[in-house]
């Protein structure tokens, strides 16, 4: 499996274990169920699975509220089941990364229970306490819909405790060296089990300093560099993926000099893909990628269209946010916090052409792409479910009862209506060679054959037609011309003379000549390799 900088060419796949496949009929997906479906993921072509939290948890925040860092929740199985999954995945050349939630624990964690019960507890200083709720007033509130403050009064403790997310998730105190050591030990525990790395959750918020917004502080970077050094020394070839929902220039320091994170989400490109599709123009994408600073050679951006959270609109202007809400969240229940709680297919009007076009952008723009489970078949959402649960519904495997997800009672109601499992499921799409699944799988596998997508340079081709997102990806002697028609009408473009050449159309595997101009059908895309 050893392959230097493997993450630069990888296609990732994000899975909620609870929602993926239930093997024992209790209505909850589990590690055995995921192991049973590895052949499916191998067929899709993915290289690395990111599994969302499987730690013991009261599940007030889908497992991001951790009650024990050193175990697997019984609902998902056991540590042995995880070892079996890792072994089976590695046999198929699929890696597995998991969530490392550094910033906070559940209020049910034994550390917090001890801390709140006794001021002299060794765990009291694992958390951030205050006699007043007036400290760190410059820190924004992230969950504006539900949390009035970053401080919550604890009757038992007789003090306020600090939390950047839900009140039931108290923040850890990284000024305490024992906390730093403890979290490094947590990483060691899972790496020893064979995990290939971590998606580090909510990393900008680890430290607090008066007079700052308590984000992206130098102390945070110092700790993360220490964690990276520890991994490089003991677990080379494992990765750290940075979740920092920030502007590109603010994420850039998380790569350090190639000595902090290997890979980092590019949050701002994501809403601009949707903006481009709705406006039929490429300018918003061009602007944000031009604003994106270069990163060290051993680092990589990570791109995505959707994930387990709301489609976040934090990294757009207030005017753009209102516009996006008007375009993509016409019903009030579609909004959540500063975002939109809908899945990819319904966001794009369940229009196969738009879904494939968005994926064409995902797979050909710089960075390593992540597919959110179910998006490869165009799964819908269930807006009747509260909070973000509407985009975390059971995977739709087949048209049989409960979508083939479970023989029991599913933990959540399935998608209803036109995108329900009776209409959208893996079995029917795998049987139909013209299905969305096969289109996405073809893109994934083409991408894997061309390291140009993961490692190559990118240059925009500027033409007289703003409806086309057109760029050249180059790596060594592989030159690829990518053309995406963002518009709902056919578009013709005059190409610059240097692009007049013979090409291979990688998706249809046919020859293609460009002499002067080119016409693309509505929402069409071309991946052309220069001969």
């Amino acid at each position: 499996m050893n392959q230097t900088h493997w993450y630069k060419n990888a296609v990732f796949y994000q899975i909620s274990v609870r929602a993926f496949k239930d093997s024992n009929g209790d209505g909850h997906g589990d590690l055995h169920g995921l192991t049973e479906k590895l052949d499916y993921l191998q067929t899709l072509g993915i290289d690395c699975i990111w599994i969302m939290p499987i730690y013991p948890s009261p599940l007030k925040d889908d497992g991001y509220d951790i009650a024990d860092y050193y175990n697997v929740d019984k609902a998902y199985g056991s540590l042995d089941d995880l070892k079996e999954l890792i072994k089976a995945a590695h046999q198929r050349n699929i890696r597995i990364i998991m969530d490392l939630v550094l910033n906070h624990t559940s209020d049910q964690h034994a550390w917090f229970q001890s801390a709140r019960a006794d001021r002299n507890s060794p765990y009291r200083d694992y958390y951030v306490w205050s006699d007043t709720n007036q400290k760190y007033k410059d820190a924004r509130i992230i969950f504006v819909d539900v949390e009035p403050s970053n401080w919550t009064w604890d009757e038992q403790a007789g003090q306020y405790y600090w939390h950047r997310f839900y009140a039931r998730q108290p923040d850890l105190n990284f000024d305490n060296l024992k906390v730093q050591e403890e979290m490094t030990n947590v990483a060691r525990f899972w790496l020893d089990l064979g995990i290939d790395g971590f998606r580090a959750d909510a990393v900008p918020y680890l430290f607090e300093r008066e007079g700052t917004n308590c984000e992206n502080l130098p102390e945070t970077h110092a700790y993360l560099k220490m964690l990276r050094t520890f991994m490089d020394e003991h677990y080379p070839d494992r990765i750290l993926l940075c979740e920092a929902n920030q502007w590109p220039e603010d994420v850039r320091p998380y790569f350090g000099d190639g000595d902090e994170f290997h890979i980092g989400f590019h949050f701002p490109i994501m809403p601009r893909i949707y903006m481009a599709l709705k406006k039929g123009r490429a300018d918003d994408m061009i602007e944000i990628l031009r604003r994106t600073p270069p990163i060290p050679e051993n680092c990589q951006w990570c791109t995505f269209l959707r994930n387990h959270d709301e489609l976040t609109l934090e990294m757009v202007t207030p005017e753009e946010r209102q516009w996006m809400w008007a375009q993509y969240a016409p019903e009030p229940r579609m909004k959540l916090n500063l975002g939109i709680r809908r899945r990819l297919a319904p966001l794009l009007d369940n229009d196969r052409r738009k879904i494939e076009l968005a994926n064409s952008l995902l797979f050909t723009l710089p960075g390593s792409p992540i597919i959110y489970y179910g998006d490869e078949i165009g799964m819908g959402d269930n807006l009747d479910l509260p909070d973000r649960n509407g985009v975390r519904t059971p995977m739709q495997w087949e048209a049989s009862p409960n979508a083939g997800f479970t023989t029991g009672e599913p933990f959540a109601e399935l998608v209803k209506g036109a995108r329900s499992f009776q209409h959208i499921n893996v079995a029917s799409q795998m049987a139909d060679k013209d299905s969305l699944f096969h289109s996405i799988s073809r893109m994934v596998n083409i991408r894997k054959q061309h390291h140009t997508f993961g490692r190559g340079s990118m240059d925009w081709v500027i033409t007289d037609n703003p409806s086309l997102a057109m760029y050249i990806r180059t790596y060594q002697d592989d030159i690829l011309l990518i053309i995406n028609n963002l518009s709902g009408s056919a578009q013709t473009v005059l190409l610059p003379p240097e692009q007049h050449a013979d090409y291979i159309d990688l998706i249809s595997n046919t020859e293609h000549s460009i002499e002067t101009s080119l016409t693309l059908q509505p929402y069409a895309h071309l991946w052309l390799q220069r001969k």
Side-chain angles (χ1 to χ4, degrees), residues 305-346:
L305 297 171
R306 284 300 293 112
N307 62 16
H308 61 296
D309 288 331
E310 64 271 30
L311 188 165
T312 177
L313 298 175
E314 286 182 85
M315 294 300 119
V316 298
T317 66
E319 297 74 24
E320 288 168 335
R321 186 177 305 132
Q322 294 299 331
W323 183 85
M324 281 287 286
W325 272 332
Q327 298 294 325
Y328 284 109
E331 298 176 39
R333 66 184 188 147
M334 293 174 174
K335 292 184 192 176
L336 182 67
N337 297 313
L338 292 180
I340 301 169
R341 57 182 206 108
R342 302 178 73 193
R343 259 196 183 259
L344 177 66

Side-chain angles (χ1 to χ4, degrees), residues 320-517:
E320 288 168 335
R321 186 177 305 132
Q322 294 299 331
W323 183 85
M324 281 287 286
W325 272 332
Q327 298 294 325
Y328 284 109
E331 298 176 39
R333 66 184 188 147
M334 293 174 174
K335 292 184 192 176
L336 182 67
N337 297 313
L338 292 180
I340 301 169
R341 57 182 206 108
R342 302 178 73 193
R343 259 196 183 259
L344 177 66
L347 278 165
L348 299 181
D349 310 314
N350 301 317
D351 184 328
R352 168 92 178 260
R353 300 168 305 168
K354 293 182 189 174
I355 295 168
E356 290 189 17
L357 177 59
N359 276 284
S360 169
L361 291 162
L362 174 71
F363 291 128
T364 61
L365 289 172
S368 294
I370 292 194
I371 301 168
Y372 185 49
Y373 83 93
D375 280 352
E376 73 277 14
I377 58 169
M379 244 172 82
D381 47 40
N382 185 343
L383 293 176
D384 293 339
L385 297 173
D387 196 30
R388 299 178 274 195
N389 299 341
V391 300
R392 303 176 183 182
T393 57
M395 181 70 172
Q396 296 169 194
W397 292 106
E398 51 193 53
S400 63
N402 295 330
F405 163 72
T406 182
T407 56
E409 185 64 33
F411 71 92
E413 185 181 58
L414 283 93
V415 174
K416 298 175 288 194
R419 309 306 284 179
S420 72
F421 66 89
Q422 292 92 337
H423 305 287
I424 304 287
N425 63 69
V426 168
S428 63
Q429 293 206 14
M430 288 190 78
D432 173 8
K433 66 179 191 334
D434 296 321
S435 68
L436 176 64
F437 170 84
H438 284 293
S439 289
I440 302 299
S441 179
R442 190 176 304 118
M443 287 188 198
V444 169
N445 284 292
I446 292 167
R447 191 185 191 285
K448 287 169 64 165
Q449 291 160 23
H450 292 267
H451 286 183
T452 313
F453 290 119
R455 296 172 184 256
S457 63
M458 175 188 175
D459 296 291
W460 292 96
V461 178
I462 304 301
T463 68
D464 57 353
N465 190 332
S467 294
L468 297 178
M470 183 158 31
Y471 37 92
I472 294 171
R473 303 297 315 274
T474 309
Y475 182 65
Q476 294 170 351
D477 55 1
D478 191 24
I479 301 171
L480 305 177
L481 173 63
I482 311 298
I483 312 174
N484 300 285
N485 179 7
L486 304 170
S487 141
S489 55
Q491 297 291 327
T492 299
V493 61
L494 281 168
L495 278 109
E498 58 269 25
Q499 309 310 334
H500 301 175
D502 293 330
Y503 296 88
I504 300 285
D505 181 329
L506 293 177
I507 291 175
S508 64
N509 199 23
T510 54
E511 300 205 350
H512 199 105
S513 265
I514 296 178
E515 289 172 4
T516 50
S517 67

Side-chain angles (χ1 to χ4, degrees), residues 1-193:
M1 290 280 287
N2 193 343
Q3 184 192 338
T4 310
H5 303 168
W6 59 268
Y7 47 90
K8 295 190 82 165
N9 305 315
V11 176
F12 292 79
Y13 187 88
Q14 180 188 356
I15 289 178
S16 164
V17 176
R18 182 160 64 132
F20 203 61
K21 181 68 171 84
D22 172 22
S23 70
N24 61 5
D26 68 356
H28 289 260
D30 47 47
L31 293 167
H32 265 314
L34 172 50
T35 306
E36 287 170 13
K37 292 298 182 183
L38 287 173
D39 288 345
Y40 165 73
L41 297 174
Q42 192 173 20
T43 302
L44 178 58
I46 60 108
D47 302 285
C48 184
I49 299 165
W50 154 27
I51 54 173
M52 289 165 59
I54 53 171
Y55 307 93
S57 165
L59 291 178
K60 301 294 187 196
D61 185 23
D62 216 17
Y64 286 93
D65 49 329
I66 293 171
D68 177 1
Y69 280 102
Y70 295 100
N71 219 326
V72 168
D73 195 295
K74 289 186 177 64
Y76 303 125
S78 65
L79 288 169
D80 283 339
D81 293 336
L82 180 64
K83 288 182 196 168
E84 183 191 322
L85 169 66
I86 293 168
K87 182 181 173 189
H90 285 174
Q91 285 169 347
R92 292 165 175 80
N93 285 324
I94 295 173
R95 289 176 164 88
I96 297 182
I97 63 171
M98 63 189 287
D99 270 291
L100 182 64
V101 184
L102 295 166
N103 184 65
H104 47 261
T105 71
S106 165
D107 59 4
Q108 301 305 303
H109 197 294
W111 300 342
F112 189 72
Q113 291 298 320
S114 171
R116 79 197 319 179
D118 179 3
R119 287 201 181 207
N120 297 315
S121 161
Y123 294 106
R124 182 73 169 199
D125 198 34
Y126 268 45
Y127 297 91
V128 181
W129 300 95
S130 173
D131 293 327
T132 162
N133 60 0
Q134 297 303 300
K135 290 175 75 177
Y136 313 135
K137 289 178 81 167
D138 296 327
R140 68 195 170 108
I141 296 168
I142 293 167
F143 290 151
V144 288
D145 286 4
V146 289
E147 295 298 343
S149 167
N150 288 320
W151 290 104
T152 291
W153 177 257
D154 190 77
E155 199 62 50
Q156 192 181 2
Q159 280 187 304
Y160 292 93
Y161 64 87
W162 176 253
H163 56 89
R164 291 308 301 273
F165 294 90
Y166 294 117
R168 46 190 180 264
Q169 292 167 306
D171 273 29
L172 287 164
N173 174 21
F174 273 83
D175 278 318
N176 180 350
L177 292 178
K178 286 194 173 131
V179 168
Q180 296 191 19
E181 193 180 329
E182 185 86 57
M183 298 317 283
T184 305
N185 286 338
V186 169
R188 177 188 286 115
F189 178 82
W190 297 100
L191 292 164
D192 283 346
L193 277 175

Side-chain angles (χ1 to χ4, degrees), residues 213-230:
N213 67 358
C214 298
E215 297 182 23
N216 310 319
L217 296 177
E219 295 86 345
T220 293
H221 289 292
Y223 172 72
L224 293 167
K225 282 186 197 297
M226 202 171 72
L227 182 61
R228 168 66 182 268
T229 301
F230 159 76

